[in-house]
Amino acid sequence: KAKAVKSEPRTPGPKGPSPKKVKTESAHSNGQSKPKAASSVLDPQKDKTLLDIFTGVKLYLPPAAADFAKLRRYFVAYDGDLVPEYDAASATHTLAEPGGESDARKVTAGWVWECIRKRRVVPPC
């Protein structure tokens, strides 16, 4: 990368302010260039951010669960909240048997993967 060089402050001369230049990148091997399209950055099909599938879902995921690390990683990446064991009563969903006064819905690891596949929270089986 080239270092930024400080330039003199612009003062409108007799010709007025100069027009802004449009950056172009060489897009073809034949030397032609095309201006960058700003709309392609905002295109939702090309957007690389993850969906907020599990927003508002508090899951108690016991450490003994199969694929614990992978489930935790994906659940949190899709905006889910993991609840520690001592606070399992506040969970909305659980992979363990709900205990005590918990109103948590019993779900399976397959439920987490199904929600991700369908890109929304599906009812637990």
Side-chain angles (χ1 to χ4, degrees), residues 61 67-77 82:
L61 181 63
D67 290 334
F68 171 79
K70 191 172 183 181
L71 281 167
R72 179 183 62 196
R73 179 179 177 187
Y74 277 80
F75 185 75
V76 171
L82 285 178

Side-chain angles (χ1 to χ4, degrees), residues 9 15 20 51-52 63 68 70-71 73 86 100 108-109 111 124:
K15 295 180 185 176
K20 292 184 177 180
L51 299 173
D52 293 337
F68 171 79
K70 191 172 183 181
L71 281 167
R73 179 179 177 187
Y86 65 83
T108 63
W111 174 81

Side-chain angles (χ1 to χ4, degrees), residues 1-5:
K1 285 186 171 180
K3 290 186 177 180
V5 178

